[in-house]
Structure formats: structure tokens, C-alpha cells
Amino acid sequence: MEFVLDPPHGVGPLRLGMTTDEARVALETLGPLEPTASGELAVHLPSGLGFSVGFGVGPTWGRVNAIEVWRPPERDVVRYRDVDVFGVPALEVVERLRRHLDLVPNEDDDGFTVRELYLALWRPFAADDDPADEQGHFFQSVLVARPGYDDTPAEAAARLAAGGQPGY
């Protein structure tokens, strides 16, 4: 199966801004829902590709504000701009996406984020010279969220003052 990342709108049948019920129906088109400890909605496909949906607080309460997709051990494909974000080594993904986006390294891990779209690529550690170490050589998850998802309080206030929507 193939899924296309569409930040800042969604992934596959999942759209940012959906209600809880709409997200549940969309996820159920992919497979049976799984309970999570944090109250998110989640599903895992037979390939191991996983989806989890997070909901906002404050003005976005009860609406999807983040969709995370986890790398499958088998071959489902997740693409952004014709780049297989899980099938291509992490540094190559970064190189190819930087042709189109302001993809910057995260300060606290070995991931990268495009804040204006809110597209975040994550891996637990960098193992760029060791393809056998898949957890560090390839990205392990991708997050599509509302722009402003990780705003500081000052950034959130400035976004709202400028007429933007809250990211949380």
C-alpha cells in the first residue's frame, strides 16, 4: 500500500481538523483500532506500518492536530514529493527534501522538521554509515501536524495576533 504525506492537511484518509468520530471512521478504513495509553487513536497494518492520531487542546480540543506514521518492517510506502521517507536512507531523504523545503535538524534528537508545514522526520539515533542498523540509518516515524504544533507560548500568541490558527 502507498500513502502520501500532505502537510499541512493530512496523510491518506486522515485529515488535520477532523473530529474524533471522523478520525475513528478514517482509521477504521485502514484496520482495527488499537487502544493507546495516551488516549490517541491508533492502527497497525499487517505490514507493521502504524498510524496514530493526536487531538488538540484549548481551541482545537476534540480535533485532530497531529498524525504520526511509523515505519513498517515490510514494504508499505509513505511518500512526500516522490521521496519514500522510510525506504531511502535518512540523509538522502534530507538531501532530496531540502531542494524544496526548509528542513532543519532538531535540537534534541536526530530528526528534522519543516516548521512552516509542520512535517517532522524522526529516528532515535544517527547511523548514517551503517545500513544494517535500520533504526538509525532510516527514519522511523514522520509527523504531520498543524503549523504551530510546537510553538512556544510567545510564538503561539504571535501566530494568533497575526490572524493564524492555534497549533495545539
Side-chain angles (χ1 to χ4, degrees):
M1 210 177 278
E2 182 171 308
F3 295 91
V4 176
L5 302 170
D6 183 22
H9 306 291
V11 180
L14 298 163
R15 310 318 285 165
L16 296 170
M18 283 181 152
T19 65
T20 303
D21 289 339
E22 291 168 335
R24 182 175 284 109
V25 168
L27 277 171
E28 286 173 338
T29 67
L30 302 175
L33 292 178
E34 299 175 358
T36 66
S38 58
E40 298 172 331
L41 296 175
V43 66
H44 280 86
L45 304 184
S47 68
L49 183 70
F51 291 84
S52 65
V53 178
F55 296 92
V57 298
T60 63
W61 183 83
R63 298 273 179 182
V64 173
N65 77 333
I67 303 163
E68 189 163 15
V69 183
W70 296 90
R71 184 175 194 261
E74 296 179 23
R75 288 302 301 167
D76 276 330
V77 176
V78 177
R79 292 190 189 281
Y80 183 69
R81 292 194 171 246
D82 293 324
V83 177
D84 179 350
V85 299
F86 295 139
V88 174
L91 286 185
E92 185 178 336
V93 170
V94 169
E95 177 185 318
R96 291 173 63 185
L97 292 183
R98 278 187 171 157
R99 296 176 192 157
H100 310 283
L101 303 167
D102 184 21
L103 188 65
V104 297
N106 296 345
E107 291 179 15
D108 56 349
D109 62 35
D110 287 304
F112 292 80
T113 302
V114 181
R115 290 193 75 209
E116 66 271 9
L117 292 177
Y118 216 90
L119 174 70
L121 299 154
W122 178 84
R123 59 186 172 167
F125 55 88
D128 296 315
D129 296 329
D130 187 2
D133 196 342
E134 290 190 12
Q135 284 192 6
H137 195 69
F138 297 94
F139 286 115
Q140 298 301 303
S141 73
V142 62
L143 181 79
V144 174
R146 291 176 175 275
Y149 176 76
D150 67 350
D151 280 355
T152 65
E155 290 169 330
R159 182 182 302 278
L160 287 173
Q165 296 294 315
Y168 43 79

